[in-house]
């Protein structure tokens, strides 16, 4: 199965910065998890503890909102975690194994997956455009407005690709 649930103790790491992201994570509870992001290009020699860098000028720390997907981009392409996620208090997280999902999709009917494939292309293109504009993408979810636009575009293109469009018979009034 591609989905599972894991429990974590307070202070336990869930994923570490610059490791391969092979799993996407769904968080249901508000503020149980903390995401630390540090700019790998900024010099930082002030570490409070192993794996917990000081986030004064070169990064940030945020509590994760409930009903969020983290490292969702790992579903659509190869990805390395840009930050560290850890449990602030004991909690559980739903995990989606991206390799298992890819295996399931590889064996599925291609017509059923057409819209998903189109969304994946739009999603990765959107991420690449954001990074090309100079914004570093983290493992945090995109804003709902951004994702909704991509979903609508993918739905529209999927509908167009399945419609019988006769481009040779265009008429004018």
């Amino acid at each position: 199965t591609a989905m599972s649930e894991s429990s974590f103790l307070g202070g336990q790491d869930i994923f570490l910065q610059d490791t391969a992201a092979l799993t996407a994570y769904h968080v249901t509870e508000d503020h149980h998890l903390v995401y630390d992001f540090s700019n790998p290009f900024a010099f930082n020699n002030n570490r409070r503890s192993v794996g917990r860098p000081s986030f004064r000028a070169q990064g940030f720390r945020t509590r994760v909102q409930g009903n969020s997907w983290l490292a969702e981009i790992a579903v659509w392409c190869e990805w390395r975690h840009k930050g560290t996620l850890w449990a602030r208090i004991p909690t559980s997280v739903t995990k989606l194994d991206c390799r298992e999902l890819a295996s399931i999709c590889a064996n599925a009917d291609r017509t059923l997956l057409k819209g998903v494939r189109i969304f994946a292309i739009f999603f990765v293109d959107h991420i690449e455009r954001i990074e090309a504009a100079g914004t570093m993408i983290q493992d945090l979810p995109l804003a709902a407005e951004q994702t909704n636009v991509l979903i609508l575009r993918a739905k529209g293109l999927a509908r167009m690709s399945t419609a019988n469009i006769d481009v040779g018979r265009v008429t004018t009034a």
Side-chain angles (χ1 to χ4, degrees):
T1 178
M3 295 195 87
S4 63
E5 189 169 11
S6 293
S7 296
F8 296 93
L9 300 173
Q12 186 176 2
D13 290 325
I14 297 168
F15 61 73
L16 299 173
Q17 183 172 350
D18 202 35
T19 58
L22 305 174
T23 305
Y25 302 85
H26 187 261
V27 180
T28 56
E29 300 292 329
D30 278 341
H31 309 295
H32 286 202
L33 302 179
V34 176
Y35 181 76
D36 287 338
F37 171 77
S38 65
N39 186 340
F41 301 108
F43 179 73
N44 177 15
N45 64 354
N46 180 16
R47 293 196 176 257
R48 289 184 285 239
S49 65
V50 175
R52 302 280 186 263
S54 172
F55 291 93
R56 294 207 171 107
Q58 60 275 20
F60 66 87
R61 172 176 285 173
T62 187
R63 290 186 182 178
V64 177
Q65 297 295 314
N67 198 27
S68 297
W69 280 97
L70 298 166
E72 178 185 10
I73 192 169
V75 172
W76 311 114
C77 65
E78 288 184 24
W79 182 252
R80 295 191 73 76
H81 291 295
K82 304 300 183 199
T84 297
L85 182 68
W86 53 280
R88 191 176 65 79
I89 59 175
T91 192
S92 61
V93 174
T94 303
K95 300 187 319 185
L96 176 61
D97 182 323
C98 298
R99 293 174 294 186
E100 183 65 25
L101 180 63
S103 175
I104 291 168
C105 290
N107 295 316
D109 182 355
R110 288 182 159 222
T111 57
L112 295 175
L113 295 176
K114 184 180 288 187
V116 175
R117 292 176 66 209
I118 293 169
F119 175 79
I121 292 166
F122 286 155
F123 188 90
V124 172
D125 177 67
H126 182 71
I127 296 299
E128 288 175 345
R129 288 174 188 263
I130 290 171
E131 288 192 325
T135 301
M136 184 178 279
I137 296 295
Q138 294 96 31
D139 301 284
L140 298 170
L142 290 177
E145 306 83 48
Q146 292 176 314
T147 307
N148 289 340
V149 167
L150 299 174
I151 291 169
L152 290 174
R153 287 181 63 204
K155 279 180 163 179
L157 187 56
R159 265 190 244 115
M160 286 174 42
S161 69
T162 57
N164 290 329
I165 300 173
D166 188 359
V167 292
R169 303 189 79 202
V170 176
T171 58
T172 58

